[in-house]
Amino acid sequence: MRGFLLTLLGILILLAVVAIAAFAWLTRTPEPAPPPEAVSGEYRVEAAGLNWRVRESGPAHGPALVLMHGFSHSLEGFEGWAGALSDSYRVIRLDLPGHGVTGPHPDGAYSNEDTTAQVAELLDALELDRFVIGGNSLGGLVAWRYAADNPERIAGLVLISPGGYSINNVGDEPVEVPLPIQMYLRLAPDAGVRMATETLYGDPSRLSDARVEEIAQMMRQPGIGEALIARLNQFTLPDPEPVLATINAPALILWGAEDRMIPVSHGERFAAIMPNARLITYEGAGHVAMEEIPDDTAADVRAFLEGLEW
């Protein structure tokens, strides 16, 4: 009996050691990925305590369209639109604080209010007077909040599945980030990035290996994993309607009908409460319609931009 108990104790100790080792491995800080090489039209801007990565294309003095990506992504998400619209428009993309090559905020300030104020300082530094602002998911949330705060500067809004209404039990207070999500954000494993990104597409066959590698590389930039976790720990979604109802600028709202991240019913609520908004939905597309079907969505954006009073 004594031998059995000693064997059992040995097994339990071994399992405990394995569990501790696995936990230590899964919560380790991985080696950061090298930044991508800067491409034509890319530059850095000092503003709000950050060295922002900005990329633009199109005529330098043309009507400006500012675009912001969603959570854990980067400015590369709008390259399809840039290619389609840069013949007529100055298309400006940026990495948000705590994302991509812009990197973590030195003060760890990632609330929606903080991010909107930081973007405002960047746009001041870019000396933009009147422009269209837009974004996807988190970037869309920042875009409409900025528009509400700066109505005199906004010629129009382009929102792609924007954040706003409560999802995943997030409301007036942040929700604790589950350990598996924290581990995913810290490590950004290839298989995990692929699986997470496939859920953003209505048709995962449209997702390329190159895009998965691109997202993983951006998530593995120095300090980004911890910054993403910090953002979630500060992330709230209070009732947006008192603010949305004040935005009188023309707004184009685009939503993939197969969006599994934020349901298309939220798009209907946006369109109903915003005074001058139009909603377009796309069958078969998901949460990142500007990536998944860039030509179709860009054509609708062009028609919208052409009808604005700049």
Side-chain angles (χ1 to χ4, degrees):
M1 182 67 177
R2 183 170 179 272
F4 170 75
L5 291 176
L6 289 174
T7 301
L8 179 61
L9 178 60
I11 292 172
L12 291 175
I13 291 173
L14 178 61
L15 290 174
V17 170
V18 171
I20 291 170
F23 179 81
W25 185 85
L26 289 171
T27 56
R28 77 193 192 285
T29 301
E31 289 296 319
E37 291 188 11
V39 302
S40 176
E42 188 169 309
Y43 53 91
R44 306 300 287 269
V45 179
E46 294 285 345
L50 290 158
N51 187 16
W52 301 71
R53 180 172 71 139
V54 180
R55 185 181 295 170
E56 67 171 85
S57 51
H61 301 290
L65 171 63
V66 176
L67 297 169
M68 296 177 287
H69 58 81
F71 179 76
S72 80
H73 285 200
S74 61
L75 60 78
E76 280 82 2
F78 282 101
E79 289 309 285
W81 278 16
L85 298 170
S86 293
D87 60 330
S88 302
Y89 299 96
R90 180 186 176 191
V91 184
I92 302 170
R93 296 86 76 199
L94 56 101
D95 284 350
L96 287 168
H99 290 78
V101 184
T102 293
H105 193 281
D107 297 332
Y110 297 116
S111 72
N112 297 330
E113 294 82 1
D114 288 328
T115 302
T116 304
Q118 292 154 9
V119 167
E121 290 193 41
L122 170 65
L123 298 180
D124 287 346
L126 292 176
E127 299 182 346
L128 297 175
D129 294 324
R130 186 168 171 81
F131 51 93
V132 171
I133 193 167
N136 169 237
S137 199
L138 170 64
L141 187 157
V142 174
W144 64 255
R145 291 185 68 100
Y146 178 89
D149 291 343
N150 302 273
E152 72 287 349
R153 299 179 71 176
I154 299 302
L157 267 171
V158 178
L159 306 176
I160 313 97
S161 294
Y165 291 95
S166 177
I167 57 171
N168 300 325
N169 297 316
V170 179
D172 292 338
E173 298 295 331
V175 171
E176 184 177 354
V177 185
L179 183 57
I181 300 299
Q182 294 187 42
M183 292 189 294
Y184 164 69
L185 294 174
R186 285 193 178 99
L187 299 173
D190 291 338
V193 173
R194 173 171 290 281
M195 185 179 301
T197 310
E198 283 181 348
T199 66
L200 303 181
Y201 277 60
D203 180 358
S205 69
R206 293 172 171 146
L207 176 62
S208 68
D209 292 342
R211 181 63 181 136
V212 173
E213 293 171 4
E214 196 170 59
I215 293 170
Q217 182 184 26
M218 291 296 99
M219 292 180 68
R220 295 175 191 149
Q221 293 301 299
I224 294 305
E226 294 300 328
L228 295 174
I229 295 168
R231 180 176 291 280
L232 290 182
N233 282 325
Q234 300 173 44
F235 189 69
T236 59
L237 288 171
D239 180 9
E241 293 196 348
V243 178
L244 292 174
T246 69
I247 301 173
N248 292 305
L252 178 66
I253 304 170
L254 310 179
W255 223 287
E258 309 305 319
D259 192 332
R260 293 187 289 274
M261 182 65 63
I262 307 179
V264 69
S265 60
H266 285 206
E268 296 163 356
R269 296 170 73 180
F270 268 91
I273 194 65
M274 297 177 74
N276 195 11
R278 178 191 175 205
L279 172 66
I280 300 176
T281 60
Y282 301 92
E283 294 299 324
H287 188 62
V288 289
M290 76 289 180
E291 288 188 28
E292 189 172 1
I293 48 171
D295 293 339
D296 291 345
T297 50
D300 287 327
V301 171
R302 180 183 292 277
F304 171 72
L305 298 178
E306 288 174 348
L308 296 178
E309 296 180 3
W310 294 81

